[in-house]
Amino acid sequence: MEANGYDGLLRELGVDLTLHRDLVRYNRDIHRRTFGSVRNRPASMRWFDDAVEASHGGRVAEIAAYRKAGGRSIGTFCIYVPEEIALAAGVLPIPLCGGTNWSVDYADRMFPRDICPLIRSTFGMAFSNTCPYKKLHDGVVGETTCDAKKKAWDLLGFQVMEVPQKKGDLDHALWLSEVRQFLKYVEGLSGVAVTPERLRECIILANRRRATLQRINGFRRLPEPPISGLDALLVSQVALNQDIPAFLAACEELIHELERRVQRGISAYQGPGPRVLLAGTPSPMGNAKVHYALESSGLRVVADESCTGIRYYRDLVDESAEDLDGMIEAIADRYMSIDCSCFSPNTERVEHVLRMIKEYGAEGVVHNILSFCHTYNVESKVIDRALAAVHVPSLKIVTDYSFEDLEQLKVRVESFGELLCARSAETVAAS
Ligand code: BJ8
């Protein structure tokens, strides 16, 4: 029996079909449990559900066909890899699959157990021969962000971009030279020289994807958001895997539906609930546990301060440069503005969190930290100091992808929700 109609292709790609079926079943269950728990979803979310399913079938076939026609693709692990340059060279950047708990233990073959689940999940997929993209990549591009990732690239011999750890002039110069080298690398893979015309088109295309995500997430600022935090996460998760024009078309439909919902006063939430900003590590496709724990406990996740949230779409590349050099500089500048916790100091992130609290009307912050992610874990203390100064409470969740601690998490989340409700009642009483 074919799991999803793509067994022939998956077999050709060296995928272990028995394990892959098990993985797909596992992922479907988690998807149903988390996103399926949202009541009264916009009908156009259906496309995004299907896109998750397609990431193990139809999308794989599309990329295989693209390569057969002479195109190239690379695996990426981080939003520092400049997607517009890769696209301009005819190289599709595809994020490695790293959100499923199913594959975590398969990483033990090469990695210690005490590193973050995102890394273990990704490489567990590769080592168990269940990642359909493994053989579709003409290269994998890593980056020097956290220690666990840096050393993983060493072990596996990937191409690495050096992301500086500070943001001074020398760091900017280093990063610009890395971006230029990346351009040479992708040109070498595809044999296609990047022209200013093509790069401009790709800058505009990638900017449209970010601007579209900004529009969708803008709805979450409303007192009654027409889209839940879970569904907004799903849109972001799908964004990086799917064909950009198809993704943009689906988003337009969703935006129209959200506008209609706002006009009719339809909220994504059944009853009142405190608004929280979720800050920290990414939740890649397959993982929505913390969003689920919060929203199924009556809280509203109204903003995501993460790489599967605003960190990916906050800044656009300046489109005014006229020549190739100017465009590359504009791209380097935009990527250097990303506020990942691997930077020291990372004051921009603190400022961004404070600004987001106001923009999205958040009453509290929940730090979402993947186990063993030291940079985000320690940085939560820096953010907490700034939050204390403006009297915004926070809750820190350090967890992995498994659902074993869900009930425990929900108990903590519910009492945080009660605290936020009590504070808001006090504010109302005092006014
Ligand atoms: S820009 S957040 S995508 S590095 S969670 S693997 S940091 S131990 S994912 Fe990240 Fe780029 Fe930064 Fe974003 Fe390491 Fe932490 Fe794991 Fe992480």
Side-chain angles (χ1 to χ4, degrees):
M1 187 194 77
E2 295 223 339
N4 57 12
Y6 294 95
D7 280 8
L9 171 64
L10 295 175
R11 197 176 296 114
E12 222 178 275
L13 294 172
V15 169
D16 180 319
L17 289 184
T18 311
L19 286 183
H20 187 260
R21 275 188 199 131
D22 198 33
L23 162 71
V24 169
R25 244 190 321 264
Y26 177 91
N27 287 348
R28 275 183 198 145
D29 273 359
I30 295 290
H31 192 90
R32 216 172 292 130
R33 185 166 177 185
T34 51
F35 299 106
S37 72
V38 182
R39 296 282 153 258
N40 189 23
R41 300 177 82 194
S44 27
M45 283 309 298
R46 179 66 194 271
W47 186 89
F48 300 89
D49 290 328
D50 291 347
V52 173
E53 190 74 20
S55 69
H56 277 270
R59 184 61 181 145
V60 180
E62 280 174 19
I63 298 169
Y66 177 77
R67 288 184 71 252
K68 245 182 210 150
R72 293 287 173 264
S73 93
I74 48 170
T76 61
F77 207 82
C78 177
I79 59 166
Y80 276 105
V81 179
E83 54 189 0
E84 31 301 84
I85 293 180
L87 291 169
V91 176
L92 278 183
I94 305 292
L96 298 166
C97 330
T100 179
N101 192 52
W102 180 91
S103 57
V104 162
D105 289 338
Y106 286 96
D108 295 355
R109 202 176 293 174
M110 210 174 270
F111 294 122
R113 297 183 72 89
D114 48 359
I115 58 171
C116 103
L118 198 157
I119 296 173
R120 294 179 71 213
S121 168
T122 307
F123 291 103
M125 295 266 297
F127 300 158
S128 58
N129 287 330
T130 49
C131 176
Y133 298 93
K134 190 172 150 191
K135 289 232 172 101
L136 290 175
H137 292 141
D138 298 283
V140 180
V141 181
E143 76 311 314
T144 56
T145 46
C146 66
D147 287 352
K149 287 208 281 184
K150 272 187 279 211
K151 291 295 112 184
W153 317 141
D154 275 7
L155 257 178
L156 302 164
F158 292 159
Q159 175 79 13
V160 178
M161 291 187 82
E162 181 165 358
V163 176
Q165 311 283 286
K166 297 181 78 162
K167 290 192 175 172
D169 292 345
L170 286 175
D171 307 296
H172 277 273
L174 165 69
W175 178 239
L176 179 58
S177 80
E178 287 293 306
V179 172
R180 288 198 177 113
Q181 274 182 45
F182 176 71
L183 182 136
K184 295 275 165 254
Y185 168 73
V186 285
E187 284 182 332
L189 280 184
S190 64
V192 173
V194 172
T195 62
E197 295 73 28
R198 185 65 190 134
L199 187 53
R200 175 170 295 110
E201 280 170 19
C202 294
I203 287 174
I204 292 170
L205 187 65
N207 274 350
R208 274 189 61 203
R209 174 156 67 181
R210 296 182 190 115
T212 301
L213 287 166
Q214 287 175 4
R215 284 167 66 203
I216 291 173
N217 283 281
F219 287 98
R220 299 167 78 191
R221 295 179 183 184
L222 296 171
E224 285 302 332
I227 182 164
S228 65
L230 269 161
D231 276 342
L233 171 70
L234 181 59
V235 173
S236 287
Q237 289 179 333
V238 164
L240 296 180
N241 174 274
Q242 290 293 305
D243 172 58
I244 304 181
F247 173 77
L248 292 176
C251 285
E252 283 308 320
E253 214 171 289
L254 174 63
I255 288 169
H256 289 142
E257 189 176 354
L258 295 180
E259 284 166 348
R260 287 196 300 275
R261 286 183 147 223
V262 173
Q263 279 162 10
R264 292 179 196 153
I266 301 174
S267 172
Y269 298 100
Q270 305 299 299
R275 301 168 69 93
V276 294
L277 180 152
L278 196 54
T281 48
S283 306
M285 200 190 276
N287 173 35
K289 178 172 115 179
V290 175
H291 288 74
Y292 172 69
L294 291 163
E295 296 209 319
S296 63
S297 306
L299 282 77
R300 298 172 169 200
V301 179
V302 292
D304 289 278
E305 192 276 330
S306 71
C307 292
T308 38
I310 204 164
R311 198 164 292 123
Y312 169 70
Y313 59 76
R314 177 186 288 119
D315 297 314
L316 306 188
V317 174
D318 181 353
E319 295 176 7
S320 64
E322 308 242 320
D323 57 11
L324 197 63
D325 267 353
M327 289 178 210
I328 294 168
E329 279 173 27
I331 290 170
D333 282 351
R334 183 265 166 201
Y335 281 82
M336 251 321 237
S337 72
I338 298 172
D339 57 354
C340 178
S341 62
C342 65
F343 280 90
S344 168
N346 195 22
T347 41
E348 288 147 300
R349 181 164 177 238
V350 180
E351 288 157 15
H352 286 144
V353 168
L354 293 178
R355 197 187 313 150
M356 285 178 80
I357 288 171
K358 284 201 184 126
E359 288 174 352
Y360 290 84
E363 297 156 78
V365 170
V366 177
H367 298 287
N368 179 15
I369 318 274
L370 284 170
S371 321
F372 306 109
C373 179
H374 305 313
T375 56
Y376 279 96
N377 198 344
V378 176
E379 197 163 272
S380 68
K381 296 280 175 200
V382 182
I383 290 177
D384 276 350
R385 247 191 251 156
L387 294 179
V390 292
H391 311 292
V392 173
S394 72
L395 170 73
K396 182 159 90 174
I397 292 178
V398 180
T399 189
D400 57 17
Y401 291 165
S402 83
F403 272 66
E404 281 164 21
D405 60 350
L406 184 71
E407 290 314 314
Q408 222 179 323
L409 274 185
K410 286 185 61 134
V411 171
R412 292 183 60 215
V413 164
E414 277 161 21
S415 66
F416 185 61
E418 281 162 20
L419 168 84
L420 296 179
C421 289
R423 283 170 59 97
S424 120
E426 273 169 29
T427 316
V428 172
S431 62

